[in-house]
Amino acid sequence: MSNHNEQPLSPLEIELSDAQSKQQQDLARAQSLQPKHRPLVEHIYTADPSAHVFNGKIYIYPSHDIQTDAEINDNGEQFAMRDYHVLSLDRDTFEATDHGVALSVEDVPWAQMQMWAPDATRKNGRYYFYFPARAYDGIFRIGVAVSDSPTGPFTAQDNYIEGTYSIDPAVFADDDGSYYLYWGGIWGGQLQNWRDGQFHPRDIYPADDQPAYAPLVAKLSDDMLSLAESPKDILIYDENGKLLRAGDNQRRFFEASWLHKHNQQYYFSYSTGDTHKIVYATGKSPYGPFTYQGVILNPVLGWTNHHSIVQYNNKWFLFYHDSTLSGGQTHLRCVKMSELIHDSEGKILPLQAYE
Ligand code: FUB
């Protein structure tokens, strides 16, 4: 129905109204493109997103989940990944681009299978990609591959990094030019198989009232290809100054180490595994010790929870995954992002998972 009392709009009014509606459309489009817990890509399954800003742009180094006939078990055999893709995000819209295969298991002489959660960093214009995989003896190790581009392709070193074992490497570049490698994971990640620098096939876990297994940290060598020192345990204390216990499944370390720095404070975050949360602890040094603070991300759809945290344009973002894209299959995940808030006291506001 038309309103016959309405006066026709003048050309100037039409122009203004068009401009307003364009502005509204732009706003709506910008809002719809803001990170709102939607999969960043849907044409492949992705997980374990490690995000970094290189040259003013966000790059994401995820695992590339695949369909498999492998058995679904606590060793994680269903996570049968064979290569890595790198994603980058448009500077304004956050729309993701898949840059294709950056490293494949066939191109890593020492690796047999299970290319799990990776990370990357940049030093002197070169890019270093750290990744765990099972070697031919069935033991998880951590390797490094190098490229002149943040999107690869990466060329792997002939052997894994000496002194490394277990999974989930994360690299942190401190303001003084030092680079630290964090890693470790229990159950499928095999941390429970290592004692006195030796691999033992039998799993051994501490009693519930004993300190939990600790993640590891070591400074990287100047050439970024080896450890510059023996790995050290990361100590995580509770509010009473006691080390978190193995039976404290709600808070103790399981896998997915990450380190970020905010207001001169170091935040070590990780997954609690069988209680499915991302939690964090803070400290004054990249080596720790750290004091447990609280939850960052509550459980998501799917068993695993794995994240990274990065600052971009004066905002902080959490990258994480869930299994919504596959309707809940734990080994077929999709990476997502969300803004993350540190409050005025430096506490991180916990996020619910959005499905
Ligand atoms: O993606 C395989 C494994 O699942 C990762 O290494 C763990 O952190 C968990 O996300």
Side-chain angles (χ1 to χ4, degrees):
M1 232 167 47
S2 63
N3 178 353
H4 295 291
N5 294 330
E6 231 172 34
Q7 296 296 314
L9 296 176
S10 70
L12 179 63
E13 284 170 326
I14 290 173
E15 209 173 292
L16 275 174
S17 142
D18 282 353
Q20 271 165 0
S21 106
K22 167 120 188 17
Q23 217 173 28
Q24 275 160 4
Q25 278 168 18
D26 285 350
L27 190 65
R29 180 176 150 72
Q31 277 169 352
S32 78
L33 290 170
Q34 286 301 306
K36 270 204 297 201
H37 310 277
R38 60 186 174 84
L40 292 177
V41 292
E42 300 195 4
H43 65 293
I44 54 172
Y45 291 111
T46 52
D48 310 321
S50 292
H52 291 277
V53 177
F54 298 135
N55 311 316
K57 199 170 175 152
I58 298 179
Y59 290 87
I60 304 166
Y61 299 86
S63 300
H64 174 199
D65 285 352
I66 51 170
Q67 310 262 9
T68 172
D69 296 331
E71 192 186 328
I72 296 181
N73 56 30
D74 285 350
N75 278 339
E77 283 172 38
Q78 64 274 29
F79 298 106
M81 300 83 110
R82 300 194 61 79
D83 63 24
Y84 295 104
H85 289 220
V86 178
L87 309 178
S88 69
L89 298 188
D90 182 273
R91 287 183 168 83
D92 303 315
T93 65
F94 293 103
E95 263 180 301
T97 299
D98 175 1
H99 296 273
V101 176
L103 181 70
S104 173
V105 70
E106 279 85 33
D107 301 322
V108 184
W110 62 267
Q112 181 192 179
M113 58 185 179
Q114 290 178 292
M115 311 285 270
W116 285 12
D119 194 14
T121 195
R122 180 178 61 173
K123 183 175 180 184
N124 298 336
R126 301 203 87 192
Y127 297 84
Y128 297 86
F129 182 78
Y130 298 88
F131 60 97
R134 251 187 220 255
Y136 285 93
D137 57 5
I139 299 177
F140 267 108
R141 304 284 187 171
I142 294 168
V144 56
V146 187
S147 177
D148 290 329
S149 160
T151 56
F154 292 93
T155 305
Q157 298 292 292
D158 285 344
N159 210 345
Y160 55 79
I161 302 176
E162 204 181 319
T164 64
Y165 52 89
S166 194
I167 58 165
D168 290 2
V171 55
F172 170 71
D174 209 350
D175 307 328
D176 66 357
S178 304
Y179 289 78
Y180 297 86
L181 191 69
Y182 298 81
W183 73 93
I186 58 175
W187 293 23
Q190 302 179 336
L191 208 50
Q192 71 282 359
N193 297 111
W194 285 89
R195 283 181 299 289
D196 307 322
Q198 296 293 319
F199 182 86
H200 298 265
R202 194 162 69 87
D203 290 353
I204 295 205
Y205 292 98
D208 279 1
D209 62 351
Q210 294 302 304
Y213 277 127
L216 295 151
V217 59
K219 212 179 243 199
L220 284 162
S221 58
D222 203 35
D223 66 5
M224 304 296 276
L225 304 178
S226 60
L227 303 182
E229 59 189 4
S230 301
K232 297 171 177 40
D233 282 357
I234 291 188
L235 303 180
I236 307 170
Y237 290 94
D238 68 13
E239 64 286 3
N240 300 313
K242 282 184 75 177
L243 283 172
L244 292 183
R245 307 276 126 180
D248 189 351
N249 301 42
Q250 299 294 331
R251 301 190 296 180
R252 62 93 177 85
F253 172 80
F254 188 99
E255 62 188 2
S257 296
W258 189 259
L259 196 96
H260 76 278
K261 192 176 183 180
H262 172 65
N263 284 349
Q264 297 312 307
Q265 180 147 240
Y266 295 88
Y267 290 69
F268 180 72
S269 48
Y270 55 93
S271 165
T272 60
D274 55 349
T275 51
H276 317 289
K277 288 180 287 191
I278 300 296
V279 298
Y280 75 106
T282 54
K284 294 188 170 68
S285 152
Y287 291 110
F290 296 98
T291 303
Y292 180 86
Q293 298 294 341
V295 173
I296 293 179
L297 179 63
N298 282 296
V300 298
L301 182 67
W303 199 93
T304 65
N305 206 344
H306 191 127
H307 71 302
S308 65
I309 294 168
V310 72
Q311 190 175 25
Y312 178 69
N313 283 352
N314 296 320
K315 285 185 174 183
W316 287 92
F317 291 97
L318 176 78
F319 288 80
Y320 66 100
H321 68 222
D322 65 26
S323 294
T324 47
L325 190 59
S326 66
Q329 294 186 70
T330 276
H331 64 294
L332 297 176
R333 299 162 289 181
C334 55
V335 301
K336 298 182 170 182
M337 68 186 288
S338 166
E339 195 177 343
L340 185 82
I341 309 285
H342 299 77
D343 73 11
S344 53
E345 289 167 6
K347 295 247 180 269
I348 294 178
L349 304 187
L351 289 161
Q352 297 299 327
Y354 290 79
E355 290 160 11

